[in-house]
Amino acid sequence: MGAHLGVMRRLILTTLMLAAAPLAAKAQTWPGWPGPPPPGYDPGSAIADQHRIEMDRLRNQAAEREALAQQQRLQTRLTILQLQAARQPTPPLPPPTAYAPRTLEQERQAREAQDARREQMVRGVTEIDAWLDRRPH
């Protein structure tokens, strides 16, 4: 793609230079010596031609710089895409947990608390059973 733009740019510049060559020869101002100006010489036209040729040169230079900038933008985008494609994927994060992992001491305390609740429940159940088993009035 870059080579294609380079070939087109050279072709356009060559064409413009060939077209401007006869104008450049025609647009020379008369220096005022060694003799009178040639027939049909108009100093205003000669200066206008010189200005027009210089403006064309500057326009061509600006177009060339813009083409180079566009080519560099495309190359930059292509390089970024290649780098992103070559990048190693990030490993997936572990799923978030609803609780923080407990230490061994916390685990021991949780087991002891659960055992205490069971004992309380068993004791409560036996009290209820005793109340249900009581003799009616």
Side-chain angles (χ1 to χ4, degrees):
M1 185 162 150
H4 181 65
L5 286 174
V7 170
M8 286 187 58
R9 187 175 64 208
R10 279 192 292 255
L11 180 63
I12 290 171
L13 289 175
T14 306
T15 305
L16 290 173
M17 289 172 75
L18 288 175
L23 296 175
K26 209 166 52 169
Q28 295 176 355
T29 56
W30 177 67
W33 50 271
Y41 175 76
D42 179 22
S45 304
I47 291 173
D49 286 342
Q50 279 184 337
H51 287 227
R52 185 178 42 75
I53 290 170
E54 181 62 17
M55 290 300 292
D56 287 342
R57 186 187 70 77
L58 292 174
R59 275 192 204 99
N60 292 337
Q61 189 179 35
E64 183 178 332
R65 287 181 179 164
E66 178 58 33
L68 178 63
Q70 178 65 22
Q71 180 183 7
Q72 289 175 341
R73 281 191 294 271
L74 290 173
Q75 286 176 345
T76 301
R77 197 172 345 157
L78 179 63
T79 302
I80 289 171
L81 290 174
Q82 288 171 341
L83 289 173
Q84 287 174 345
R87 185 180 294 161
Q88 293 292 327
T90 57
L93 296 174
T97 57
Y99 59 91
R102 297 192 288 195
T103 63
L104 292 176
E105 179 61 25
Q106 290 171 332
E107 286 289 333
R108 185 186 59 76
Q109 290 172 353
R111 278 194 310 274
E112 289 174 357
Q114 189 176 12
D115 291 342
R117 280 194 304 272
R118 259 194 219 119
E119 286 177 22
Q120 240 179 1
M121 190 186 319
V122 167
R123 193 177 15 204
V125 169
T126 56
E127 290 175 8
I128 292 173
D129 286 343
W131 184 80
L132 288 173
D133 289 342
R134 72 179 174 20
R135 286 187 14 191
H137 298 311

